[in-house]
Amino acid sequence: VAHVALTDEQVMLVDTVGRIVADNAGAEHPAPPAEVTGAGAGPQGVDPDPVLWQALVDAGLVGIHLPESAGGGGGGAVEAALVVEQLARGPVRAPYLGTVLALDLLHRAGADDAAAAPLGGHATAITLDPGLRAPAAWGVAFDGAPDGPSVGLDADGRPVVAASAAGLDGFDLTRRLAAVPDAPTGTAVGAPLGADERTRWEAFALALLSADLVGAMHGALDAAVAHARDRVQFGRPVGSFQAVQHRCADQLVTIESARSTTWWAAWAVDALPPDEALHAARVAKAYCSEAGRTVCEAAIQVWGGIGMTWECVAHRYLRRALLDRQLLGDERVHLAAIADRQLGAVGAGTR
Amino acid sequence: MDFRDDPAEAAFRGRFRAWLADHAPTGPAPLGGEARARFWSAWHRDLYQGGWMGLSWPTEYGGQGLPAVYEAIFNDEIGAAGAPPAPHVGFLGRALLHAGTEDQRRRFLPGLLSGDEVWCQGFSEPGAGSDLGALATRAERTDAGWVVNGQKIWTSDAAWADWCLLLARTDPTVPKHKGVSALIVDVRQPGVEVRPIVQSNGDREFNEVFFTDATTPLDHVVGAPGDGWTIAMTTVAYERGPTDVGFSSRYARVVADLERDAAGLDLDPGLRLDLARAHVQTAVLRAHVLRGLSARTGDAAPGPEGSIDKLLSTRTEQILHHATMDLHAAGALQGAQPGVVAEYLYSRAASIAGGTSEIQRTIVAERLLGLPRG
């Protein structure tokens, strides 16, 4: 009826990424802002961790989902999703998601040559419109490096490689956002993406964003649960109180179901026709987007006052989850699209 | 990773789907009374005669000896067809297969499977719901057999059952879970009185069962005296996985019906999103139960992860019936949609029956998250 367990190779992959994350833990927390200028850490705070990034490159994880003929690892979207989830669970500052999305876009446009440099180890951002809804020729570079390029799509659906400009004081403390000016500075590469390729790329991107949300949610819950085991009030660990236990249990139900759905969506990217793959990905992104905020906020509540401090990891997960939620459409966007698919478009009412 | 059937599974699914198209009763089961008993009995016998009962049971007891995933496909197709749920023989069969004597298996399993004998499950009591270990029904050992006194409640199908698998206290001198035994008791004897409970939706699925000096032979104890608790807890969880797959396809069908009813209507934008949420939640449940099923290899006993599945299934059913009630609101409140209303009311049982959501959350917190016991 279904064979959904991870293979031995996939389990090893998860272990490998988990080890890289653990080896680099502790180095990634940015200093608090020197003065109150905004809610972020300042643009310098979210530059990638070069040691961690190199470790991911050395392990062959960048481009793991691309065919070996294109210099990739010969895996699929499921493998990429497993890596993304572990990195978000850290959470670590490695521009993996942006780079993988950019590489995938280039590959689908037959522009693997343009991807040669990133596969060699240069982080590459993905260019999105200012609303963070869809790939664009200019707007915002998501998840790259200060000296790295950003890949978007022009009006004809051709990939555009541009240099990103000034970093933004972004809300997320683990991934860099930068401006991509609307002057025509980019270089179009490859062929325009066909409709199917465009749809599959979107499905791939939504599945990976869902995986990122799953990782952030689970990291947030793990940390909060560890705290609840140790923190004593009224002479008992607070995690022994039913109110705390049940809040945590509900989050785990959400996270595990989000993970199952994300696996389904990632599997569908390569296995189902494009429209069905996109539908699965919308389901996952709608569910994980809504869940991400709920779970990460619940985790802060479990921490109590510590959860409001800069040094507590809880807000880093929340920040990451809220950016993931917005990227390529939050739950409202995808629920509306699902409603259109299942019920017919608004205004089509005949009864 | 593959969310689809393998070829053998697909072939089996196709055969069963074709059989269901010809044999599944259409329309809802009658609410209560003799008609309800006849309806369920006929469905059970049809499934048996079709060769679909006991798919994963050993062949020497009338089963098909197939892997457990076939039970999942069986439940999946029943749900997708909107057919009445499969008879709940799995748990009772497990109890006898795991803990029964050879004589008990040969005597009772064939009738259980064929539907010739109807069974009920006597667990809950008025004073022992979530705290099942507090059960007070007593069974005293005499030379002539066990003598049972006490009361059970929420006993499905008891009104037309032949046999009850009863949890009773046989040793009041030991700690509460240790003094419980599992007994097979004839329900059609003068010392057993069954009173149907009228539910909020009008149905009469559940009953109270009163035992007054009811008797059963000494060799009708399943396992050793005092093993009743362990037998009940280990076998009851076995049926979750395949059953959950059936729930997921049944809910998917409800969603599809809902969407068919709603398509083309000028709906409030908020309601459109709620309907989409119901769709999403149902797809999420399906992905999750398929993953859970795959994680259970061979004949291993399911673990506390089943509590996650139950909480998720409950969430889904209740979100879904909010959506159906909201779509049909005005008509339903004026009596135009009795089916929608009955299903909605019944959906509130999801978070109560089979271990309340509160009990499930405590299991998840303490056994999966490792939080300290409260």
Side-chain angles (χ1 to χ4, degrees), chain A residues 1-4 229 240 245-246 249-250 254 256 260-261 264 267 279 290 335 340 342-344 346 349-351, chain B residues 1-3 5 9 13 259 263-264 272 276-277 279 288 291 293-294 315 358 361-362 366 369-370 372 374:
Chain A
V1 63
H3 309 273
V4 186
R229 284 193 206 110
S240 70
Q245 289 194 339
H246 287 193
D250 279 335
T254 301
E256 287 298 346
S260 303
T261 309
W264 173 55
W267 165 79
H279 178 65
E290 193 154 29
L335 287 171
D340 287 350
Q342 302 302 123
L343 307 174
V346 176
T350 54
R351 287 189 275 167
Chain B
M1 187 174 291
D2 197 330
F3 282 78
D5 291 337
E9 293 165 355
R13 186 188 293 278
E259 290 171 344
R272 282 175 66 89
R277 257 191 200 90
H279 181 100
H288 188 73
R291 175 180 156 214
L293 201 65
S294 305
R315 239 188 233 180
E358 285 73 17
R361 289 189 187 102
T362 297
E366 294 182 355
L369 289 173

Side-chain angles (χ1 to χ4, degrees), chain B residues 13-268:
Chain B
R13 186 188 293 278
R15 285 198 304 278
F16 186 47
R17 185 175 294 182
W19 184 89
L20 277 174
D22 290 341
H23 294 83
T26 51
L31 300 182
E34 204 46 41
R36 192 183 208 285
R38 277 198 304 274
F39 176 89
W40 287 104
S41 173
W43 175 226
H44 189 155
R45 284 162 199 266
D46 279 356
L47 282 167
Y48 177 74
Q49 277 153 21
W52 308 109
M53 293 298 295
L55 295 171
S56 66
W57 290 23
T59 48
E60 61 260 47
Y61 305 112
Q64 314 272 341
L66 291 168
V69 295
Y70 286 85
E71 299 274 11
I73 296 170
F74 168 75
N75 282 293
D76 199 23
E77 285 300 313
I78 285 180
H88 300 144
V89 302
F91 158 69
L92 294 156
R94 286 279 177 189
L96 291 172
L97 286 168
H98 279 236
T101 64
E102 188 59 25
D103 283 351
Q104 287 170 347
R105 293 178 195 164
R106 298 217 174 271
R107 163 65 188 84
F108 292 115
L109 287 177
L112 172 62
L113 207 57
S114 68
D116 287 343
E117 292 179 324
V118 175
W119 286 67
C120 63
Q121 173 187 314
F123 284 14
S124 296
E125 298 184 5
S130 290
D131 184 11
L132 184 59
L135 61 88
T137 293
R138 287 173 296 115
E140 275 180 81
R141 192 187 178 114
T142 69
D143 290 343
W146 300 97
V147 179
V148 181
N149 283 282
Q151 182 192 346
K152 294 290 171 180
I153 194 168
W154 314 126
T155 315
S156 300
D157 306 332
W160 54 85
D162 301 293
W163 297 99
C164 181
L165 184 72
L166 181 82
L167 289 186
R169 191 164 299 287
T170 49
D171 185 352
T173 66
V174 296
K176 64 181 189 179
H177 294 126
K178 295 189 174 158
V180 173
S181 300
L183 300 175
I184 299 168
V185 178
D186 180 357
V187 183
R188 298 178 187 262
Q189 60 173 299
V192 179
E193 186 197 349
V194 178
R195 293 183 200 158
I197 297 168
V198 183
Q199 295 155 224
S200 60
N201 70 351
D203 201 358
R204 289 160 176 82
E205 175 184 352
F206 305 122
N207 302 273
E208 294 178 288
V209 186
F210 297 85
F211 297 87
T212 309
D213 290 332
T215 60
T216 200
L218 286 176
D219 65 2
H220 277 27
V221 61
V222 181
D227 283 354
W229 181 262
T230 311
I231 291 169
M233 291 304 110
T234 52
T235 52
V236 79
Y238 262 99
E239 303 312 312
R240 266 237 79 89
T243 318
D244 283 335
V245 174
F247 284 134
S248 83
S249 61
R250 186 170 300 277
Y251 300 158
R253 184 185 167 94
V254 174
V255 167
D257 288 349
L258 186 65
E259 290 171 344
R260 196 197 54 226
D261 290 348
L265 296 180
D266 273 325
L267 297 177
D268 169 78

Side-chain angles (χ1 to χ4, degrees), chain B residues 342-361:
Chain B
E343 294 279 305
Y344 161 68
L345 288 169
Y346 191 69
S347 75
R348 303 317 305 171
S351 45
I352 300 166
T356 64
S357 290
E358 285 73 17
I359 293 288
Q360 307 297 342
R361 289 189 187 102

